[in-house]
Amino acid sequence: MSVCMSTLAIDVLLKSVLFRVAPENDLLMGHNHPGMVMKIESKYPSNDTIRHIAKLSRKYFKDSRYSNSENFPTFTQSLANDFIGYAESVKEYVDTQCQATLEDLKNKFKAMP
């Protein structure tokens, strides 16, 4: 469950920034974490660690949700601990490197009816 919840947290964190950067982007409807990071990096600093985490998160996103996955035996306590750390790293990146500016917020709310 920890891997599942961590990949979901990573998904939501990345989408929170993507929604600000590109609110009409099709990536918001899926779980392409590396694609989201690439789009986010068009506005915010790139980070090799976050790119790596996004790839791993995408790799395990589906399998972590279904207990009948053939890859299920790979979900160990160690992997769970790693993914909890990955989610924390993405949160740190979002909170510190991808902060909305006042101009971002003005543009977002000006566009709303």
Side-chain angles (χ1 to χ4, degrees):
M1 243 5 236
S2 295
V3 175
C4 176
M5 294 308 206
S6 295
T7 61
L8 186 58
I10 290 167
D11 189 64
V12 172
L13 286 162
L14 293 175
K15 284 179 179 176
S16 72
V17 177
L18 182 62
F19 183 72
R20 192 173 351 110
V21 173
E24 304 296 325
N25 196 293
D26 289 341
L27 290 169
L28 289 166
M29 302 307 290
H31 308 292
N32 179 354
H33 300 165
M36 289 181 214
V37 170
M38 284 178 52
K39 186 65 181 171
I40 290 167
E41 288 178 343
S42 68
K43 178 169 174 104
Y44 297 107
S46 63
N47 184 308
D48 291 336
T49 301
I50 298 302
R51 280 193 215 127
H52 177 71
I53 289 170
K55 288 178 186 174
L56 288 174
S57 182
R58 181 61 199 123
K59 177 180 177 182
Y60 288 100
F61 191 86
K62 180 180 173 195
D63 285 344
S64 70
R65 280 150 180 73
Y66 304 104
S67 61
N68 62 352
S69 166
E70 62 192 38
N71 296 323
F72 197 64
T74 65
F75 288 81
T76 63
Q77 182 67 41
S78 177
L79 185 67
N81 290 337
D82 288 346
F83 266 90
I84 291 168
Y86 296 156
E88 290 170 346
S89 294
V90 172
K91 182 178 182 332
E92 176 69 19
Y93 173 72
V94 167
D95 287 348
T96 61
Q97 300 297 309
C98 302
Q99 293 178 342
T101 65
L102 187 55
E103 194 62 33
D104 291 335
L105 296 174
K106 284 180 185 176
N107 289 335
K108 178 181 176 181
F109 291 110
K110 181 176 24 173
M112 295 179 76

